[in-house]
Amino acid sequence: MIIYNQSDEDLMGWVAIGQSGAVEELLRRYENKFLARAFRKTGDRSASEDIVIETFANIAEQSPFFDSKIAKFATWAYAILNNKIKAYLRDNWFNRRMLSLSAVDESRDDFLAAAQAEGTWFADCSPARMEKLRDMVLKYLSDEEQTLYY
């Protein structure tokens, strides 16, 4: 099978019947573009790489449902990528906001350093401490953001 001179849409037909070489060719064509977009949105290289991997896994899983009469491959793939980026940002926004605001509180510097080093920041927080951190974060949120939180 010669895949290098086939269109993206033709490659999706090959992906749908299980040709792994077609997925690899699509990855070769789009990986850097997808990484750049994900990094611009997240600012995190590791998260961007994970998002791109999840995107291509989703593309492979959803390949039987791709219809080139409805959309070009690039349009369809970028929609999947953008949804993955939005999900990442939504899921990680509150955690990042809490950590950045609590780092400002000087009385927590030692605790923060230890918790971040161990990766157990939220697990080590007592319910009272979590409530205090939540209240501290909420006072910095706009009315719209507070509405989304509740």
Side-chain angles (χ1 to χ4, degrees):
M1 169 180 81
I2 299 175
I3 58 175
Y4 301 106
N5 61 357
Q6 292 190 18
S7 71
D8 297 340
E9 291 74 19
D10 290 340
L11 288 173
M12 282 302 292
W14 288 106
V15 172
I17 61 171
Q19 291 291 331
S20 62
V23 174
E24 292 168 5
E25 177 61 15
L26 288 168
L27 181 62
R28 185 191 66 74
R29 292 179 186 183
Y30 287 92
E31 181 178 27
N32 290 334
K33 295 172 190 174
F34 283 12
L35 277 171
R37 175 171 281 211
F39 184 74
R40 273 194 314 272
K41 300 288 187 179
T42 65
D44 183 337
R45 178 146 180 96
S46 177
S48 299
E49 291 169 352
D50 291 344
I51 288 168
V52 171
I53 290 168
E54 289 175 18
T55 298
F56 275 97
N58 199 283
I59 286 169
E61 289 172 9
Q62 299 299 318
S63 63
F65 305 107
F66 173 73
D67 186 353
S68 62
K69 294 177 186 107
I70 296 173
K72 288 188 170 232
F73 170 77
T75 304
W76 184 73
Y78 273 105
I80 293 171
L81 174 67
N82 288 332
N83 287 335
K84 297 286 182 193
I85 291 169
K86 286 177 188 176
Y88 170 81
L89 293 173
R90 181 187 61 241
D91 294 345
N92 291 287
W93 176 84
F94 188 73
N95 294 344
R96 286 193 319 274
R97 185 83 178 231
M98 285 187 73
L99 286 172
S100 67
L101 290 174
S102 62
V104 173
D105 187 1
E106 293 178 4
S107 65
R108 298 211 187 310
D109 283 347
D110 293 338
F111 177 76
L112 275 173
Q116 287 174 337
E118 295 175 18
T120 58
W121 166 244
F122 291 109
D124 291 344
C125 285
S126 67
R129 181 172 280 165
M130 287 296 288
E131 186 173 330
K132 185 174 180 179
L133 286 171
R134 186 200 68 209
D135 293 341
M136 186 172 61
V137 169
L138 288 176
K139 71 181 177 183
Y140 290 100
L141 298 178
S142 69
D143 291 339
E144 182 180 318
E145 290 171 327
Q146 287 184 18
T147 302
L148 289 172
Y149 173 76
Y150 290 112

